[in-house]
Amino acid sequence: MHANSDDDVTADSPPYFRYEENRYVPTTIARGGWGPSLSGHVVGGLLGWAVERAVDDPHFQPARLTVDLPRPTALKPLEVRTHVRQDRRRLRLVEAAVIQDGNTVAQASALFLRRGAQPGGRIWSQPVQMPPLPAAQDAESLFIRTYGWGAELQNPDPDWAQTFGPKYTWLQETRPLIDAQPMTAFTRAAMAGDITASIANWGTEGLQFINVDYTLTLSRLPIGPHLGLASLTHYSDDGIATGSAVLVDHNGPIGNAVSAAIAQSGFLPTTGRSPRPS
């Protein structure tokens, strides 16, 4: 699985983490928008990267990843520990944890299934329409490039923060996760899953729910450098929210993501990662 990597992520781009003395040291670009802590999408990416390395078999598809973010991950060195819980002929279950100062600050559970013959027949599925990618790429090298955020598919509303309606976004990772290592397709999907809470819970007064977990399910790995998310649902009461999105690549839908979040103010997108259309 590790051979399935992104050509778009170049070795000369600063990474989110540097590996030093058996620990992962975050760089300044790994900071998120909720204060002096790591962004959930890089924490999820690191956990996804770790569980994938624990199942180094191209016959197994990463079918489900659940990431728990119970507390902020500080901007300081961390460890990642993995454990294979089940190793069966058609199924492997892996757990991973992010450790800081001896405490678990984030954790994940991943299910890998063995690929096989596709059954015959047709099964109905909800169609998904995404905004088109821009004809030309933005010349600025962003951490994540985000396009088409808004209710209108072909002509996104410039007042995106106040848009009332479904949200859509295209993502493109332009930096390595760890040192100069190639970014795998599953790592990119794991990072994209964290964005579900943003597009599902963004309202007329901005983002006022902080992500505490997300679950990503995949029928296949994404192809190409771009990943899209289309919001499907949002429900919230008494400061508790649940939201979902469908994940796509340029060939169509590949899976779904669902997130649980709790009310929080003070979100401030960092420079270069603002969820705003190009």
Coordinates of all heavy atoms in Angstrom, one line a residue, residues 68 83 85 95 97 104 171 186 239:
D68 N -10.4 9.4 17.5 CA -10.9 10.0 18.7 C -9.9 11.2 19.0 O -8.7 10.9 19.2 CB -11.0 9.1 19.8 CG -12.1 8.0 19.6 OD1 -13.2 8.4 19.2 OD2 -11.8 6.8 19.8
H83 N -1.0 -1.3 17.6 CA -1.2 -2.7 18.1 C -2.2 -3.4 17.1 O -3.3 -2.8 16.9 CB -1.7 -2.7 19.5 CG -2.0 -4.1 20.0 ND1 -1.0 -5.0 20.3 CD2 -3.2 -4.7 20.4 CE1 -1.5 -6.1 20.7 NE2 -2.8 -5.9 20.8
R85 N -4.9 -5.8 16.7 CA -5.8 -6.5 17.6 C -6.3 -7.9 17.0 O -6.5 -8.8 17.7 CB -7.0 -5.6 17.9 CG -6.7 -4.5 18.9 CD -6.6 -5.0 20.3 NE -6.4 -4.0 21.2 CZ -6.1 -4.1 22.5 NH1 -6.0 -5.4 23.0 NH2 -6.0 -3.1 23.4
E95 N -5.1 -0.8 16.2 CA -5.3 0.4 17.0 C -4.0 1.2 17.1 O -2.9 0.6 17.0 CB -5.7 0.0 18.4 CG -7.1 -0.7 18.5 CD -7.5 -1.2 19.8 OE1 -6.6 -1.1 20.8 OE2 -8.6 -1.6 20.0
A97 N -2.2 5.0 18.9 CA -2.4 6.0 19.9 C -1.3 7.1 19.8 O -0.1 6.7 19.5 CB -2.4 5.5 21.3
T104 N -2.2 9.4 26.6 CA -2.8 9.3 25.3 C -3.7 10.5 25.0 O -4.6 10.8 25.7 CB -3.7 8.0 25.2 OG1 -2.9 6.8 25.5 CG2 -4.4 7.9 23.9
L171 N -9.9 19.3 -1.8 CA -8.7 19.4 -1.1 C -7.5 18.9 -1.8 O -7.7 18.0 -2.6 CB -8.8 18.6 0.2 CG -10.1 18.8 1.1 CD1 -10.2 17.8 2.2 CD2 -10.1 20.2 1.6
F186 N -4.1 6.7 1.4 CA -4.8 6.5 2.6 C -4.6 7.6 3.6 O -5.5 8.1 4.3 CB -4.6 5.1 3.2 CG -5.4 4.9 4.5 CD1 -6.7 5.0 4.5 CD2 -4.7 4.6 5.7 CE1 -7.5 4.8 5.7 CE2 -5.4 4.4 6.9 CZ -6.8 4.5 6.8
G239 N -26.0 22.2 21.9 CA -24.5 22.3 21.8 C -23.8 21.0 21.3 O -22.6 21.0 21.3

